[in-house]
Amino acid sequence: MNWLENLRRSFLDFDAMAEVLPSMITVGLKNTLILAAASTVLGVVIGMVLAVMGISQSRWLRIPARIYTDVFRGLPAIVTILIIGQGFARIGRELFGPSPFPLGIIALSLIAGAYIGEIFRAGIQSVERGQMEACRALSMSYGQGMRLIVIPQGVRRVLPALVNQFIGNVKDSSLVYFLGLLASEREIFRVGQDQAVVTGNLSPLLLAGIFYLVITVPLTHLVNYIDQRLRTGRQGNSSGAASGLMEVSELKAATTTSSTCKGGNMVAGGTLAIRRLNMSYGHLEVLKGVDLVIPQGSVTCIIGPSGSGKSTLLRCLNRLVEPKGGDILLDGKSILTMKPEALRRRVGMVFQHFNLFPDHTALDNVMLSLRKIKGMPRGEARRIGEARLADVGLLGRKDHRPSGLSGGQQQRVAIARALAMDPEVILFDEVTSALDPELVKGVLDLIADLGRQGMTMAVVTHEMGFARRVADQVVFMDEGRIVEVGSPADIFDAPKSDRLRRFLAEVL
Ligand SMILES: Nc1ncnc2c1ncn2[C@@H]1O[C@H](COP(=O)(O)OP(=O)(O)OP(=O)(O)O)[C@@H](O)[C@H]1O
């Protein structure tokens, strides 16, 4: 049992530990935290710049960011620390005095920046494209969408990775001692190491190890907790998505008392006139001379086979994609001459995949544009937001995050969000395609109800029953062209073209 005693003496010499403890706290811990915190903060600044450069359209920004990242990620940390600390020692002395401590921070920051830049870039790029589309459809500029929605979501997603980086900096700070720090500048490892030499055993180093764990382990758990809270909101994940059947009755109650239009008045709709509209993605011609009038206060359903250009036509109407030729007039004025953000205030849109903002509650989703785009005071935005949620039968769930709502409920929040901006026209892009069958009816009834209230609507749909029941006119598209336009009776009961007959035979 001699070896056990040896081990005990080597690692568990409590007197040696007690002796080094005060300087471990007042010198080592303090300096380690300064080195790690300062280099993480500076690293975050460098990383943010690198991330923005890395996702930029310009390769003059992308390429330098790439080179920086490759170099500082590729070099061993100690090499960078020595190159910066010793290579720039003279400049360092002039700027910061004799201590290499600030140069150590800079070296650690340069290394951390390369990793943090990649973390941010991956986080921002992992945010679904639909989030930015929803921002733009709510008439936010690209910058506002990035600032309010995409970057915060990206940063939240990478929070655990950022804390890991901080932990990495805590550990890498032990390398700065290679630069020759003053006694008062030593970090945890160096204090332990010096005392180990004095006492001739490893107990002070074991204490240093314990100090590192005391910093890093609680941090990891704290960040996991914060991440969970941010993801699910306060009410947690099981926030009572109702069963589909319950939702149907919930919605029925809402639509009978709906006040979607202000004070129960009919909504003032706009007229859209589409003239010889062309659109292509690269060489792929998607719209080929589309002519159509969507009269004020009418419901136009657009049907047709997959890939026929229905969604693209809809996206041209609020300029989420730019037409290549032709024109679109809103109440007689070309939308191509308007600022896209101004146009989108008048022409709202609801998407197939809802595109709700996951970090915001239902009410915040509805209020966001009222506050940020219309500049409404919080109280007024809240009043309107709650009224719109009541219209879609979801006032009771206003504090729920999207993750705590069913697909049907999420889509109704998305409709409330579009309605809150008081648009003259609303575009619905296959809004029931991603829903479970029992939830489809509720959403369609809501849209039908809006139609009755005089909202001008263009609805791309695969729901033929709905189109027949609700549409004022039905548009059949194929291969980028409108093949037939007419009343539901014309289209469904007396199709003129062979293509429409074949399509109906397939889908009915
Ligand atoms: N962003 C894009 N880049 C390149 N091609 C695209 C893009 N979006 C759509 N397309 C192509 O344009 C054509 C028309 O697409 P669009 O989505 O408008 O059709 P759709 O009738 O709405 O089809 P679906 O019912 O399947 O949604 C398709 O061939 C599609 O592959």
Side-chain angles (χ1 to χ4, degrees):
M1 285 319 221
N2 223 357
W3 59 273
L4 212 87
E5 180 55 24
N6 275 349
L7 269 183
R8 198 197 62 76
R9 242 187 270 138
S10 220
F11 286 103
L12 298 178
D13 180 343
F14 294 116
D15 291 340
M17 285 188 188
E19 202 176 323
V20 77
L21 188 63
S23 50
M24 191 69 92
I25 294 171
T26 57
V27 179
L29 180 63
K30 185 190 85 185
N31 286 322
T32 292
L33 289 179
I34 291 175
L35 283 166
S39 58
T40 305
V41 171
L42 266 178
V44 164
V45 175
I46 297 171
M48 271 283 184
V49 174
L50 286 175
V52 171
M53 288 170 74
I55 58 175
S56 140
Q57 308 280 351
S58 157
R59 82 178 119 109
W60 297 109
L61 293 176
R62 273 199 325 269
I63 291 173
R66 195 67 262 156
I67 293 173
Y68 177 101
T69 307
D70 286 348
V71 169
F72 283 97
R73 260 194 340 182
L75 287 175
I78 187 62
V79 173
T80 306
I81 289 170
L82 287 177
I83 288 177
I84 302 289
Q86 295 180 353
F88 294 84
R90 181 181 294 181
I91 302 176
R93 265 197 300 278
E94 279 171 22
L95 288 176
F96 310 115
S99 165
F101 197 81
L103 282 183
I105 289 178
I106 291 174
L108 287 177
S109 310
L110 292 173
I111 301 164
Y115 288 96
I116 293 174
E118 286 297 276
I119 292 171
F120 279 147
R121 190 177 61 76
I124 292 167
Q125 286 180 333
S126 75
V127 176
E128 295 75 23
R129 270 189 52 213
Q131 293 288 301
M132 184 48 106
E133 283 208 322
C135 291
R136 292 169 67 209
L138 287 166
S139 85
M140 292 182 207
S141 65
Y142 178 81
Q144 281 174 315
M146 284 303 263
R147 188 165 50 78
L148 294 172
I149 297 298
V150 177
I151 290 180
Q153 261 184 59
V155 169
R156 181 187 60 69
R157 285 178 195 201
V158 302
L159 206 59
L162 278 181
V163 173
N164 280 340
Q165 185 59 43
F166 176 76
I167 290 172
N169 286 3
V170 168
K171 293 188 290 184
D172 279 356
S173 65
S174 62
L175 298 172
V176 175
Y177 91 92
F178 276 104
L179 300 180
L181 297 171
L182 301 176
S184 62
E185 292 171 339
R186 292 171 305 162
E187 29 57 55
I188 291 173
F189 165 72
R190 189 65 192 170
V191 172
Q193 162 86 353
D194 285 352
Q195 191 65 12
V197 172
V198 172
T199 59
N201 70 54
L202 294 172
S203 303
L205 268 183
L206 180 67
L207 186 66
I210 293 169
F211 264 72
Y212 282 117
L213 292 180
V214 166
I215 300 174
T216 55
V217 173
L219 258 182
T220 319
H221 290 275
L222 177 72
V223 81
N224 287 345
Y225 170 75
I226 293 174
D227 183 53
Q228 173 78 7
R229 273 287 286 270
L230 287 173
R231 201 189 347 249
T232 56
R234 219 164 278 143
Q235 85 278 11
N237 235 345
S238 56
S239 49
S243 88
L245 293 177
M246 213 172 118
E247 278 194 54
V248 172
S249 53
E250 185 182 77
L251 190 63
K252 258 196 200 123
T255 41
T256 50
T257 58
S258 171
S259 62
T260 308
C261 33
K262 281 184 239 157
N265 298 324
M266 296 299 270
V267 192
T271 295
L272 279 168
I274 301 162
R275 304 263 164 82
R276 307 223 56 74
L277 192 69
N278 291 311
M279 161 66 200
S280 47
Y281 293 108
H283 294 299
L284 180 68
E285 267 191 88
V286 180
L287 298 179
K288 303 166 188 166
V290 171
D291 280 296
L292 178 67
V293 174
I294 299 175
Q296 176 175 346
S298 70
V299 180
T300 296
C301 285
I302 303 167
I303 61 171
S306 178
S308 55
K310 308 180 295 294
S311 294
T312 304
L313 173 60
L314 218 58
R315 279 156 193 269
C316 285
L317 300 181
N318 66 351
R319 289 177 61 191
L320 280 186
V321 295
E322 292 292 339
K324 293 285 178 325
D327 204 352
I328 300 163
L329 309 179
L330 175 57
D331 290 336
K333 188 164 184 275
S334 169
I335 68 166
L336 303 179
T337 62
M338 297 178 190
K339 271 185 73 175
E341 288 82 30
L343 166 69
R344 291 173 197 143
R345 278 188 182 212
R346 300 174 62 186
V347 181
M349 187 164 194
V350 183
F351 299 89
Q352 178 177 358
H353 294 291
F354 332 135
N355 298 348
L356 290 181
F357 305 134
D359 297 343
H360 292 65
T361 63
L363 182 60
D364 285 341
N365 262 278
V366 181
M367 281 171 60
L368 190 71
S369 278
L370 297 177
R371 301 263 296 124
K372 303 292 177 187
I373 305 299
K374 291 198 163 177
M376 273 183 198
R378 174 164 279 282
E380 192 184 349
R382 170 175 285 271
R383 190 181 55 72
I384 293 176
E386 288 181 347
R388 294 296 82 86
L389 280 178
D391 290 341
V392 300
L394 285 174
L395 186 56
R397 289 168 207 270
K398 66 181 174 164
D399 294 325
H400 289 221
R401 302 260 177 137
S403 60
L405 298 171
S406 74
Q409 290 169 336
Q410 288 187 56
Q411 195 55 293
R412 281 149 54 196
V413 173
I415 293 173
R417 181 172 73 171
L419 286 174
M421 291 295 277
D422 242 337
E424 294 160 46
V425 181
I426 299 200
L427 313 172
F428 291 91
D429 191 6
E430 297 187 31
V431 294
T432 56
S433 300
L435 297 180
D436 289 338
E438 81 271 22
L439 305 180
V440 167
K441 185 173 178 299
V443 172
L444 292 180
D445 285 350
L446 184 59
I447 299 173
D449 194 46
L450 281 174
R452 278 192 292 276
Q453 293 174 40
M455 176 69 79
T456 308
M457 299 196 292
V459 185
V460 169
T461 185
H462 293 294
E463 301 287 340
M464 298 304 144
F466 170 81
R468 183 193 275 273
R469 189 162 51 87
V470 175
D472 296 298
Q473 66 173 348
V474 179
V475 175
F476 171 64
M477 288 185 72
D478 193 20
E479 294 180 357
R481 293 198 169 85
I482 291 180
V483 181
E484 285 191 40
V485 186
S487 67
D490 293 339
I491 296 292
F492 293 111
D493 301 330
K496 294 186 196 66
S497 64
D498 205 35
R499 270 195 282 182
L500 177 53
R501 268 194 293 276
R502 266 187 286 137
F503 174 74
L504 292 175
E506 296 267 324
V507 297
L508 288 179

